[in-house]
Amino acid sequence: MSLLLDMLSAACLLAGSFLCITGGIGLIRMPDFFARVHAAGVTETLATPLLLFGLMLQMDWSLDLLKVVMIMIFVLATNPTATHATAKAALHGGLKPLVSEDDPNDTGEPSSKP
Amino acid sequence: MNELPGLYNDWVAIFLMMAGFYVVISQGNLVKKLVGLALFQTSVFILYISLGKVAGGHAPIYDPAIAIYSNPLPHVLILTAIVVGVATTAVGLALVVRIHEAYGSVEEDDIQAADEAESTASSSEASAEEDAKQ
Amino acid sequence: MTLIDHLPVLAVIVPLLAAPLCVLIDRARPAWLIALAASWLSFGAAILLLLQVTQSGTISYHLGGWPPPWGIEYRIDLLSAYVLLIVTAIAAVVMVFAWHSVESEIPSERIARFYAALLLAFAGLAGITTTGDAFNVFVFLEISSLASYAIISMGRDRRALNAAFQYLMMGTIGATFILIGIGFLYMMTGTLNMQDLAALLPEVSDTRTVRAGFAFLTVGIGLKLALFPLHLWLPNAYAYAPSTVTAFLAATATKVAVYALLRVLLDVFGVEFSLQAMPLNLILMVLGLVGIVSASLVAVFQDDIKRMLAYSSVAQIGYMVLGIGLANTTGVTAAILHVFNHALMKGALFLALGAIAYRLGTATLRDFAGLGRRMPWTMAAIVIGGLSLIGVPPTAGFISKWYLVLGTLEQGLWPVTLLVLFGSLLALIYVWKLVEAAYFKPAPANAPAVAEAPLSMLIPVWLLVGANVYFGIHTDISVGVASQAATQLMGAGG
Amino acid sequence: MRDLFGVVILFSIYSFMTAALFMDLDAVDVAFTEAAVGAGVTTVLMLSCLRLTGRWERRPKHSPLLPLIVVATTGTALVYGTLDAPLLGDPNAPAHQHVAPRYIEQGPIEVGMPNMVTAVLASYRGYDTFGETVVIFTAGIAVLLLLGIQEGPHTRPGRTAIGDQIVLRVVVKLLIPLILLYGLYVQFHGDFGAGGGFQAGVIFATGFILYDLVFGEGDARLVVPPDWLPRLGALGVLIYGGVGLYSLFAGKPFLDYSALAHDPVHGQHLGVMLVEIGVGITVFSIILAIFYALAGRARRA
């Protein structure tokens, strides 16, 4: 049983870490603002709960477990909201998503500038 | 233990400190100077906190199961210092806002130039008046 | 414990708690009355403390009831009681002066908060002089500095803002250096109490860490002190601040920094380490001399009188540092004496200037033309203050210069003596410029009619002028205490 | 980097990293504070300032040589200083030998609370913390002297700051009660775990700042009128000072909490709780006042 828990927890942690790294790479490497928001927001909304879940599997039933659950709820509420708000604000501010793959200058607005 | 790995914490803190210090004295933008100052102070905090660490120690909250704690005194000092840091930053930002309103710029060069123009204007005015009298 | 036993802490917390009261009430006149009462109470406490210390020796007060080095200790010895007396005396006098001056220079809805900030600056300075804990010095230093930045920026000229920002930058760098220095010392000794540090440092004083800590503390205090190459913030800050603020800070802030330097160099590290093992005495001497000569030269060419006196302050700091650098008892006595006397003379001069600014609105050299006849009492005060600045007998300035010259001769450094005298000569030139303008130039035809300053300004000015003359003639108190304090300091380190 | 917005955000990230590092070095209270203050409050204040002064920076013209020399000298001096320093984590370092053991061994007994940092902060070195409270109060006075504070509205304004961010508004509305509740938890749990008056004050202020940012001008100000804030701050300092004065008049030294009750340990506990409340009130009101002052300017401009 504990071996199974350990393996599951390790898998969660590894997956979470992997997503964190890809999110970071995406944040730097993606061509325009909205793609970056996607990388940072969407990826890490999954990454953080995975990491937390991995940690929860290692814990006993205690107050600390409850705290981690609350952190998870908090992150799940704020992270997508922040991403959504940022993207919406950018759209309001006049940034247009990059659509054409061939020519980054196509959109007129240099949206890759933060 | 070898000396090198045992001191790297200090050196990292020193490197960060000097980065902040460099920003403070070399940059012309007042907001950036304040960021540099905050960076400088925060890095000093790292130096302090790392000197309070005891190998194998735990956070200094009493628990019957724990025997070794890290030193709580640096933590207390740095709590105070953090407050001092944010207080300084707030006052600095308020000053920057007022400077921007008064001078229309937050670049040190512009402000210096405006100040000098004002000083020479008042003194040349004075000498002109003296000339007129004679 | 009776109330008398609480004097050390009362001298500091009375102004410290009066400040929030001012904010809570938020009306101009009650705020002023509170500030006035607090500063005079604090002054009274300081007098009693000095008496107590001269009679029964050093007082130690354990805050929170925890014995040092675990708790914070207030430790009043002769030196701190002496400096505390000066700071509280100047604050008490300045508060009397402040009412009219502040009313004319600060927007009325901000006066109450202005007094709160002034009280905080004062309480911070008083806290530095009384505490016996190294980290507590940093905390109170920041209280006084933050309040000073705010009240300096209240000057009417927009350049006051820039000056305050420069001061904030320099001051914070200085404070952070001090923090680093304290950190290094704590790293090597494990204590923050100054007496404890003094006891533990000799064991580890050979280490590079202690030497670096020493260097950072000295440079940090040097920044606060406006020691010669680090003085750039001072002239602007003093020139553009409101008159009350200039008078208060010029007479106290740098003095407290000198106190901190004395405390750290001679008490915590001890004379042997600071002035003999490290080449600091030479450095201090050279910096002091360069400061005296260069700042005096710059002062000669200033048109704005506040600026002129600010540069003169830099030069006077040079004298004090020179006194410390001489590394003999006479030199240190001279430095301590000059702390006292310079507070009196600069306080008098800047207050008199404040009175003139109250009547005229500005204080440049050309405004002074013919003022000797129009504001006779104020100008007479400036002349006597100026004489004291030059060091003419029978003013207080003479006494401290005399001890300084004695100190240099004791060390056989006659070129230094000559330079000190040269500095006085330069002071003569810039003071003469004032006198010439005021008494020998006719008032310009279109000059506005001005009356003599109001009595509430003249009394504080003449109190300080009177003190200048009094301590020039009756030297028992000032010299007596200063030389005892110097002997204590020099003796502490061997 | 010419974009100051980026600079500020990077600083915020740096601050957060530092907090993580502090956590690793066992300084939980400090980590908490650094995250709340450095990454939170400082960033918000800096951004409010940028909104007024402009986002872009001009390329500096000065030669970087002199600053480099100064920095190199200072850095060398520092590295020189560390050469004889105790190594990281060395339990025999002088810093851990002299004063600290008493805090660790006696702290929980003499002051009666498990969190040694709170014990040292509020009792052994309570006077430093009093000074710290005064520092933040001073900063508040300074900012108000410089910027003034806008009077609050008397009726509820309709317009919001950020257009039609429905998702944001709903989530924030759900979160704010939790944030305030958490602030209270941190305030009163500081004796046992990480936290205390300072952190609680910051968290509480953050809740209000968030509300003000999302729901636009005025709403938050109806709840706490801006012109009350400096007085509230003063009140906090006076609570702290009052505890000190009480012990002083009871014949014990200033801030000796054992004067507060017959049982010294009980008195310590009561005293620490009272002064933490004072700290919390001051920090909350001053941080909020500083934010209002900066944001109020932005709206007028």
Side-chain angles (χ1 to χ4, degrees):
Chain A
M1 186 61 191
S2 77
L3 184 70
L4 190 68
L5 275 183
D6 273 354
M7 277 168 65
L8 202 61
S9 136
C12 282
L13 288 177
L14 276 176
S17 319
F18 174 75
L19 283 176
C20 269
I21 293 173
T22 50
I25 294 174
L27 191 64
I28 298 165
R29 294 285 299 161
M30 286 288 187
D32 88 323
F33 177 80
F34 292 97
R36 289 179 183 190
V37 165
H38 167 85
V42 178
T43 322
E44 279 168 23
T45 305
L46 184 59
T48 327
L50 272 178
L51 285 176
L52 289 174
F53 190 70
L55 291 176
M56 276 155 72
L57 292 179
Q58 299 275 353
M59 284 178 178
D60 298 329
W61 290 100
S62 67
L63 192 65
D64 293 345
L65 189 69
L66 186 71
K67 284 181 184 169
V68 175
V69 172
M70 281 164 74
I71 292 174
M72 194 141 111
I73 294 173
F74 192 79
V75 168
L76 278 176
T78 50
N79 209 341
T81 316
T83 314
H84 170 81
T86 324
K88 196 151 185 171
L91 205 61
H92 266 286
L95 272 184
K96 290 198 184 69
L98 188 65
V99 275
S100 158
E101 268 179 42
D102 317 326
D103 184 10
N105 299 324
D106 193 41
T107 48
E109 192 87 20
S111 60
S112 64
K113 269 260 173 174
Chain B
M1 206 201 293
N2 193 343
E3 260 205 2
L4 283 180
L7 288 173
Y8 75 98
N9 60 315
D10 295 342
W11 294 346
V12 169
I14 289 168
F15 175 77
L16 289 167
M17 253 186 245
M18 288 307 112
F21 191 37
Y22 177 75
V23 172
V24 175
I25 53 182
S26 74
Q27 295 295 320
N29 187 292
L30 301 187
V31 180
K32 207 164 177 181
K33 269 177 184 286
L34 279 175
V35 176
L37 203 59
L39 181 61
F40 185 29
Q41 289 179 321
T42 312
S43 328
V44 178
F45 305 160
I46 299 181
L47 186 76
Y48 264 81
I49 295 296
S50 71
L51 86 85
K53 170 77 181 169
V54 175
H58 288 264
I61 296 173
Y62 177 74
D63 186 329
I66 297 173
I68 307 173
Y69 298 99
S70 283
N71 188 348
L73 188 54
H75 302 179
V76 174
L77 305 182
I78 290 317
L79 276 176
T80 308
I82 289 178
V83 179
V84 169
V86 70
T88 314
T89 310
V91 176
L93 288 172
L95 269 171
V96 169
V97 168
R98 281 292 301 276
I99 286 176
H100 184 255
E101 284 170 10
Y103 291 85
S105 166
V106 287
E107 298 287 336
E108 203 174 30
D109 298 344
D110 296 351
I111 296 161
Q112 222 87 18
D115 270 1
E116 265 157 37
E118 222 160 279
S119 305
T120 48
S122 63
S123 68
S124 68
E125 193 187 313
S127 59
E129 228 167 78
E130 299 234 322
D131 289 347
K133 251 184 277 168
Q134 279 154 9
Chain C
M1 287 174 107
T2 56
L3 210 56
I4 294 291
D5 300 318
H6 293 299
L7 281 177
V9 74
L10 280 177
V12 180
I13 56 164
V14 166
L16 208 58
L17 288 177
L21 269 183
C22 287
V23 175
L24 212 57
I25 291 172
D26 206 16
R27 299 254 179 292
R29 188 165 281 268
W32 175 64
L33 286 174
I34 291 173
L36 193 66
S39 53
W40 280 91
L41 278 177
S42 185
F43 180 42
I47 295 175
L48 290 176
L49 272 176
L50 185 62
L51 288 177
Q52 226 175 324
V53 171
T54 43
Q55 277 162 13
S56 53
T58 308
I59 305 170
S60 165
Y61 184 90
H62 303 166
L63 286 151
W66 300 110
W70 293 281
I72 294 172
E73 178 193 22
Y74 261 15
R75 195 178 176 82
I76 319 269
D77 61 4
L78 219 47
L79 178 65
S80 41
Y82 191 63
V83 178
L84 183 69
L85 183 74
I86 305 165
V87 172
T88 50
I90 297 286
V93 170
V94 165
M95 285 301 175
V96 177
F97 176 89
W99 175 248
H100 281 289
S101 177
V102 167
E103 204 181 25
S104 74
E105 289 183 23
I106 310 289
S108 59
E109 77 275 7
R110 295 192 183 167
I111 289 182
R113 285 175 197 157
F114 176 82
Y115 280 117
L118 195 58
L119 276 174
L120 287 168
F122 163 47
L125 293 175
I128 299 171
T129 53
T130 45
T131 188
D133 189 277
F135 193 77
N136 204 240
V137 169
F138 169 75
V139 174
F140 275 82
L141 185 73
E142 282 296 326
I143 295 178
S144 76
S145 310
L146 281 175
S148 318
Y149 308 145
I151 51 182
I152 285 173
S153 70
M154 295 307 287
R156 275 176 296 185
D157 200 306
R158 70 175 182 180
R159 280 174 285 184
L161 293 170
N162 193 24
F165 191 81
Q166 299 288 345
Y167 185 21
L168 182 132
M169 280 295 155
M170 295 297 229
T172 312
I173 293 174
T176 312
F177 271 39
I178 293 174
L179 192 63
I180 297 173
I182 295 173
F184 275 165
L185 294 191
Y186 177 69
M187 210 185 261
M188 295 313 287
T189 60
T191 183
L192 291 166
N193 184 283
M194 289 190 194
Q195 290 308 310
D196 216 20
L197 274 174
L200 289 172
L201 271 176
E203 278 174 42
V204 287
S205 66
D206 247 359
T207 55
R208 289 170 278 199
T209 309
V210 170
R211 267 179 244 153
F214 175 74
F216 275 91
L217 273 173
T218 313
V219 174
I221 297 174
L223 267 166
K224 283 281 174 191
L225 180 64
L227 184 61
F228 165 67
L230 310 171
H231 69 279
L232 295 169
W233 57 269
L234 186 138
N236 281 335
Y238 283 8
Y240 302 121
S243 319
T244 319
V245 175
T246 312
F248 176 67
L249 289 182
T252 55
T254 47
K255 309 300 167 297
V256 171
V258 172
Y259 163 82
L261 191 66
L262 279 169
R263 178 65 71 203
V264 167
L265 292 189
L266 304 183
D267 207 13
V268 174
F269 282 96
V271 181
E272 261 170 44
F273 179 78
S274 306
L275 300 179
Q276 282 152 24
M278 305 288 276
L280 194 71
N281 57 343
L282 198 65
I283 296 174
L284 284 182
M285 212 143 73
V286 170
L287 290 182
L289 280 176
V290 178
I292 293 171
V293 174
S294 65
S296 300
L297 275 175
V298 179
V300 170
F301 295 104
Q302 294 298 322
D303 270 336
D304 185 334
I305 315 257
K306 267 172 122 179
R307 238 182 131 76
M308 172 197 282
L309 290 181
Y311 274 108
S312 143
S313 278
V314 177
Q316 304 297 322
I317 291 161
Y319 287 115
M320 298 169 208
V321 171
L322 177 65
I324 302 174
L326 286 175
N328 57 19
T329 313
T330 321
V332 176
T333 309
I336 299 173
L337 253 185
H338 206 54
V339 165
F340 187 85
N341 293 337
H342 182 239
L344 291 180
M345 55 181 119
K346 270 291 150 54
L349 281 171
F350 275 119
L351 280 185
L353 271 187
I356 290 172
Y358 176 66
R359 285 299 186 207
L360 292 179
T362 54
T364 59
L365 209 48
R366 81 195 142 100
D367 297 318
F368 262 55
L371 261 190
R373 248 154 269 127
R374 293 185 294 160
M375 297 177 78
W377 285 99
T378 316
M379 273 317 298
I382 289 189
V383 170
I384 298 178
L387 288 179
S388 191
L389 198 59
I390 302 167
V392 179
T395 54
F398 169 71
I399 309 293
S400 37
K401 290 265 166 72
W402 174 250
Y403 273 88
L404 195 61
V405 168
L406 278 186
T408 54
L409 289 177
E410 223 170 82
Q411 295 286 61
L413 298 163
W414 59 268
V416 178
T417 318
L418 285 184
L419 279 173
V420 169
L421 294 177
F422 180 63
S424 285
L425 195 68
L426 290 172
L428 178 64
I429 297 175
Y430 56 73
V431 172
W432 174 250
K433 275 175 73 181
L434 287 181
V435 175
E436 188 199 12
Y439 288 97
F440 297 98
K441 273 193 184 158
N446 58 350
V450 285
E452 182 53 79
L455 215 55
S456 77
M457 291 183 155
L458 275 182
I459 291 174
V461 172
W462 276 93
L463 265 179
L464 288 180
V465 169
N468 261 309
V469 179
Y470 179 83
F471 288 111
I473 300 168
H474 299 271
T475 55
D476 311 350
I477 304 173
S478 56
V479 176
V481 176
S483 65
Q484 273 181 42
T487 322
Q488 228 176 43
L489 279 176
M490 299 299 285
Chain D
M1 191 175 292
R2 303 280 82 84
D3 184 0
L4 291 171
F5 183 78
V7 172
V8 172
I9 295 299
L10 274 181
F11 174 72
S12 173
I13 295 171
Y14 167 73
S15 227
F16 215 80
M17 291 300 193
T18 319
L21 183 64
F22 289 161
M23 196 74 208
D24 190 45
L25 291 169
D26 298 339
V28 279
D29 283 89
V30 182
F32 196 173
T33 315
E34 179 65 34
V37 173
V41 172
T42 311
T43 312
V44 170
L45 294 182
M46 280 178 174
L47 290 180
S48 319
C49 175
L50 278 191
R51 194 164 151 203
L52 292 163
T53 57
R55 175 172 171 179
W56 302 97
E57 173 208 25
R58 236 193 5 238
R59 195 168 287 275
K61 289 185 297 252
H62 296 290
S63 131
L65 198 62
L66 184 66
L68 264 184
I69 293 173
V70 173
V71 168
T73 322
T74 324
T76 318
L78 278 169
V79 172
Y80 171 83
T82 59
L83 289 180
D84 281 340
L87 307 180
L88 173 65
D90 180 4
N92 296 317
H96 309 317
Q97 294 304 323
H98 185 57
V99 178
R102 169 155 176 187
Y103 297 142
I104 294 175
E105 284 151 21
Q106 298 296 316
I109 301 161
E110 283 177 337
V111 188
M113 54 191 59
N115 187 349
M116 298 158 202
V117 174
T118 308
V120 178
L121 184 85
S123 190
Y124 290 102
R125 297 188 67 89
Y127 194 63
D128 261 355
T129 310
F130 181 50
E132 165 193 336
T133 318
V134 176
V135 166
I136 195 92
F137 176 68
T138 311
I141 298 298
V143 171
L144 293 185
L145 269 175
L146 281 162
L147 299 179
I149 195 161
Q150 238 181 354
E151 269 201 28
H154 299 292
T155 53
R156 201 185 158 119
R159 207 159 57 81
T160 57
I162 314 176
D164 53 338
Q165 292 268 19
I166 297 168
V167 176
L168 187 65
R169 291 170 67 176
V170 169
V171 172
V172 165
K173 211 168 220 166
L174 282 173
L175 280 181
I176 281 176
L178 291 179
I179 293 177
L180 298 186
L181 202 63
Y182 183 58
L184 286 176
Y185 168 75
V186 170
Q187 169 84 49
F188 293 105
H189 194 256
D191 310 353
F192 308 103
F198 186 75
Q199 293 91 333
V202 172
I203 291 171
F204 230 75
T206 315
F208 278 82
I209 290 174
L210 188 62
Y211 193 81
D212 193 69
L213 281 175
V214 173
F215 289 91
E217 44 194 84
D219 267 15
R221 282 158 222 234
L222 270 179
V223 182
V224 189
D227 37 345
W228 284 17
L229 286 173
R231 290 182 187 171
L232 211 54
L235 191 71
V237 176
L238 285 177
I239 290 178
Y240 205 138
V243 173
L245 283 181
Y246 179 84
S247 59
L248 191 147
F249 284 116
K252 294 277 180 73
F254 188 67
L255 289 177
D256 188 340
Y257 309 131
S258 51
L260 290 174
H262 289 298
D263 176 27
V265 175
H266 190 191
Q268 290 285 348
H269 217 114
L270 186 66
V272 170
M273 201 181 81
L274 283 174
V275 300
E276 291 273 20
I277 289 176
V279 175
I281 292 177
T282 301
V283 169
F284 159 71
S285 48
I286 294 299
I287 297 263
L288 199 56
I290 291 172
F291 171 75
Y292 278 169
L294 277 169
R297 283 267 159 172
R299 287 181 182 129
R300 237 177 293 165

